[in-house]
Amino acid sequence: GINAEYGGDCTLKVWDLRAENSVQTIQAHQNEILTCDWNKYLPHILMSGSVDKSINIWDIRKPNMPVSTLRGHNFAVRRLKADPHNQHVIASVSYDMSVVLWDLSLPENIAGRYEHHTEFVVGVDFNLFNPGQIATCSWDESLAVWHLGEDPLGNRT
């Protein structure tokens, strides 16, 4: 199996779990990387989010430059997740208190922006068993679970 790790040295390291050392190092951002995730449909696509407020999408077969760079947050990208039901969709959260839904099949890439939290948003995930359902959590001690296209404020606890 293949795994990836990230950290303060601004690199992504790709590991073959059968090997003793990392098999690939990608100079991914100019600032610390806080998150990464694999595309569930395209196993060679790795995404990273950074303190530099950007998300880079990498093809690990050609790691010299990102396939795409997404900009839509005003502060560090704290977490990102690839949608397990749609190869084009990514969700990201940030210290700017926002959740951004990205659709890489759209010309503008941003499919939605949600600002339902009142503090840093630190977690996001898609429901593996219920397509279109997403959850976010924040330092405001709230958890929001909703379906894409709905108002997340109606589902906060």
Side-chain angles (χ1 to χ4, degrees):
I2 293 181
N3 197 6
E5 72 174 12
Y6 56 88
D9 65 354
C10 308
T11 65
L12 290 169
K13 291 191 187 310
V14 178
W15 296 80
D16 179 337
L17 298 179
R18 299 164 295 193
E20 211 171 290
N21 297 312
S22 65
V23 295
Q24 188 173 32
T25 300
I26 301 170
Q27 187 65 43
H29 290 270
Q30 297 300 311
N31 294 94
E32 180 180 7
I33 300 169
L34 299 177
T35 185
C36 73
D37 196 21
W38 294 95
N39 184 299
K40 310 306 187 249
Y41 292 88
L42 304 169
H44 55 277
I45 299 296
L46 179 61
M47 299 156 286
S48 58
S50 170
V51 170
D52 66 15
K53 305 180 266 189
S54 72
I55 295 168
N56 283 337
I57 300 173
W58 301 93
D59 183 334
I60 64 169
R61 301 170 302 181
K62 298 179 258 177
N64 293 340
M65 60 187 303
V67 173
S68 183
T69 298
L70 305 175
R71 299 185 193 285
H73 287 291
N74 297 316
F75 291 104
V77 177
R78 181 63 187 100
R79 186 80 61 224
L80 63 83
K81 277 295 190 178
D83 187 333
H85 304 285
N86 185 331
Q87 71 178 5
H88 302 290
V89 174
I90 303 165
S92 62
V93 299
S94 170
Y95 290 141
D96 66 8
M97 298 181 272
S98 73
V99 179
V100 175
L101 186 67
W102 306 89
D103 186 335
L104 303 180
S105 68
L106 298 176
E108 295 295 316
N109 295 131
I110 294 181
R113 183 178 185 87
Y114 303 90
E115 297 183 345
H116 54 282
H117 288 290
T118 59
E119 277 292 338
F120 299 154
V121 188
V122 294
V124 63
D125 209 347
F126 290 95
N127 187 325
L128 184 60
F129 303 106
N130 191 345
Q133 189 176 53
I134 189 170
T136 58
C137 61
S138 167
W139 278 14
D140 64 13
E141 300 180 359
S142 72
L143 169 70
V145 180
W146 78 98
H147 277 85
L148 299 176
E150 292 180 353
D151 179 4
L153 285 175
N155 298 300
R156 261 175 73 147
T157 59

